[in-house]
Amino acid sequence: MQEVGFEQVTEQEQWHIFWTDLPLSLDRVVKMKIFQKINHFPGMTEICRKDFLARNLNRMCKQFPKDYKFFSRTWLLPSELLQLYVYLNTHRNSVFIIKPENNCQGRGIYLVKDVSELGVQSRGICQQYIKKKKLRMHLTNYSINKTSENFKQDAEHGNKRKISTVMRYLQSNGYDVSTVWTNIDDAVIKTLLSALPVLQYNYKAYFPSHELLTSPCFEILGFDVLLNYKLKPYILEVNHSPSYNTDSSVDKEVKESLLRDSLKLLTITCHACKETQTSMLKKTPCGILPFDQRKFRREPVVHTKKCQDQHELENLGGFRQVFPSGNNKYTKFYPQKSSTHTRDTIASKMRALCIKEQLEKLCGQEFPRLRPPPTKKSISN
């Protein structure tokens, strides 16, 4: 966005930010320089695939049943079909919504009352439908609803509105909006924490030389949140590449400001970052700093982290920081060192070996790059 000092370049030029709708791949990041950033974290599919999200939230719900009540009862198909049948014996009047495991834009979603119609060939997830929801509002996906002749384009009273408009309406009708936001924030934080072990493991595997430096990754996630008749939030799904189409005035206002504020948050200031930051590291075939030299870089790294935190606080724009908040109530959700952790399992060790072999194979290859224009700053000060 030229508004904040960026311009689009070809893959043969120098680049600062690589933007992609695809999940992060090892061959894309192996040659990234220390000042370059990409718009995904490795392993984010743990909450952005419907089946992975259900698996992680179900796992956390078993450990913390009182804390993880912000998503519908969910079964993975076909592996948990028997458990679904057992549940149906005591919940005869329930309605269920079936979703494909990795589709988007509302494709393949349907409702059922008789789950006996589902067989062992069924794949995806089955969720208990949230009660007290209007019959004509089963599917709230914009890509489908906008095709209806009854769809109304109006920023204040239409079918698609800004969240600030909705909250203003609730407040005018006597609802406690601050409590609603607190509950939504809580659900979002706990959802991210459910994937923390995998995210930590993958990050260290993909970016071993960035462990003590500013992050090479950032991410814009789209959380689909449903409020029931008591305004209790439910997490429906998480999108790792939310739509940036602007076919309405509401879309244009919200999404353009979102992208602008997101780019301003990044600590990319000028082309000098190439010379100053890369000089901190010794060149190796993979751009990885040998371990025996990393220990000498702790002081400048701490300073860099402080600068990054300060930059973010000064450039929040329309964002607000919800985590970390200084509240210790989330500490119990962190993986404990004494417990069985992803990196301690045989499967994780095999993944680490596989990544290591891929790194060794890819180190000698050259990959196309995006480069910044030679005379412009990435973000104007």
Side-chain angles (χ1 to χ4, degrees):
M1 296 176 66
Q2 294 183 354
E3 184 180 345
V4 289
F6 285 96
E7 67 175 19
Q8 186 173 352
V9 296
T10 66
E11 291 200 60
Q12 286 70 43
E13 298 178 271
Q14 181 78 326
W15 59 274
H16 279 85
I17 296 176
F18 190 92
W19 196 286
T20 177
D21 288 339
L22 301 176
L24 208 56
S25 61
L26 189 60
D27 63 340
R28 174 60 66 186
V29 305
V30 69
K31 295 279 184 158
M32 280 179 62
K33 296 180 175 64
I34 205 68
F35 62 88
Q36 295 174 326
K37 296 181 183 290
I38 193 165
N39 68 318
H40 291 300
F41 281 87
M44 196 58 79
T45 52
E46 285 294 310
I47 59 172
C48 293
R49 271 185 58 132
K50 297 179 181 68
D51 50 346
F52 292 176
L53 174 65
R55 181 190 63 191
N56 284 313
L57 293 183
N58 281 339
R59 171 177 52 81
M60 295 297 282
C61 189
K62 290 178 181 178
Q63 293 180 280
F64 310 101
K66 294 182 179 180
D67 298 288
Y68 276 76
K69 293 184 176 180
F70 53 83
F71 74 108
S72 295
R73 187 77 179 263
T74 306
W75 296 265
L76 302 180
L77 302 178
S79 60
E80 296 179 346
L81 189 60
L82 180 59
Q83 293 95 312
L84 176 59
Y85 288 161
V86 172
Y87 181 82
L88 187 62
N89 288 333
T90 55
H91 299 78
R92 291 287 183 182
N93 296 322
S94 297
V95 177
F96 300 91
I97 184 167
I98 311 299
K99 302 178 181 179
E101 55 195 20
N102 200 28
N103 274 9
C104 60
Q105 297 183 341
R107 291 190 292 264
I109 296 178
Y110 59 96
L111 300 175
V112 296
K113 274 192 173 182
D114 185 6
V115 295
S116 62
E117 299 174 1
L118 303 174
V120 294
Q121 302 300 321
S122 301
R123 298 193 62 84
I125 65 169
C126 175
Q127 289 183 316
Q128 187 172 24
Y129 196 69
I130 297 173
K131 297 180 180 179
K132 306 275 186 169
K133 192 175 175 185
K134 292 184 179 179
L135 295 179
R136 296 181 183 274
M137 297 176 65
H138 289 304
L139 196 59
T140 57
N141 194 288
Y142 171 68
S143 61
I144 292 179
N145 287 345
K146 68 180 181 180
T147 63
S148 170
E149 60 182 12
N150 297 321
F151 187 84
K152 186 178 180 181
Q153 292 276 15
D154 187 286
E156 291 293 325
H157 306 288
N159 296 89
K160 187 175 188 178
R161 312 176 199 175
K162 294 192 299 183
I163 188 66
S164 58
T165 304
V166 175
M167 292 300 176
R168 189 166 59 249
Y169 168 81
L170 293 176
Q171 191 170 28
S172 66
N173 283 272
Y175 294 98
D176 186 356
V177 171
S178 62
T179 299
V180 175
W181 272 122
T182 298
N183 293 336
I184 292 175
D185 295 344
D186 185 68
V188 169
I189 292 169
K190 289 175 180 175
T191 299
L192 289 168
L193 289 177
S194 73
L196 182 60
V198 174
L199 291 173
Q200 287 178 326
Y201 178 84
N202 284 349
Y203 182 85
K204 291 179 180 180
Y206 276 61
F207 299 101
S209 63
H210 285 73
E211 290 183 22
L212 301 175
L213 297 169
T214 57
S215 173
C217 306
F218 67 99
E219 188 117 24
I220 299 176
L221 295 173
F223 279 78
D224 288 355
V225 181
L226 182 145
L227 300 176
N228 71 357
Y229 69 106
K230 292 184 178 181
L231 296 185
K232 176 185 175 180
Y234 285 84
I235 299 293
L236 301 182
E237 61 182 61
V238 184
N239 301 297
H240 85 282
S241 291
S243 171
Y244 297 110
N245 290 333
T246 56
D247 56 359
S248 68
S249 58
V250 172
D251 274 332
K252 185 175 178 62
E253 181 180 353
V254 171
K255 294 177 181 179
E256 285 189 356
S257 61
L258 169 66
L259 291 172
R260 180 180 61 249
D261 291 348
S262 298
L263 293 175
K264 285 183 177 180
L265 271 179
L266 302 178
T267 49
I268 298 176
T269 54
C270 64
H271 291 287
C273 64
K274 179 179 179 180
E275 289 75 21
T276 57
Q277 293 185 350
T278 54
S279 65
M280 295 172 62
L281 300 177
K282 180 180 178 180
K283 292 285 186 177
T284 66
C286 290
I288 298 174
L289 187 68
F291 179 79
D292 60 346
Q293 295 186 29
R294 286 186 199 173
K295 58 185 179 182
F296 299 110
R297 307 301 180 183
R298 291 187 179 274
E299 289 188 5
V301 166
V302 171
H303 177 70
T304 302
K305 182 65 169 64
K306 288 182 179 179
C307 290
Q308 177 183 336
D309 293 343
Q310 184 64 29
H311 172 87
E312 291 176 355
L313 289 174
E314 294 174 354
N315 293 273
L316 287 176
F319 287 103
R320 56 188 177 86
Q321 182 176 325
V322 298
F323 188 84
S325 60
N327 193 322
N328 295 325
K329 70 176 183 177
Y330 296 106
T331 305
K332 64 180 180 179
F333 303 119
Y334 282 73
Q336 302 299 315
K337 292 182 179 179
S338 58
S339 64
T340 301
H341 189 255
T342 306
R343 62 188 175 195
D344 297 323
T345 64
I346 295 177
S348 68
K349 292 177 181 178
M350 292 301 294
R351 285 196 296 269
L353 179 61
C354 179
I355 290 175
K356 181 180 178 182
E357 291 175 349
Q358 291 183 57
L359 279 170
E360 293 174 350
K361 182 179 179 181
L362 292 169
C363 278
Q365 298 182 18
E366 290 295 331
F367 296 94
R369 293 290 154 216
L370 296 180
R371 296 169 181 169
T375 58
K376 289 190 177 181
K377 294 182 179 181
S378 295
I379 294 183
S380 55
N381 294 322

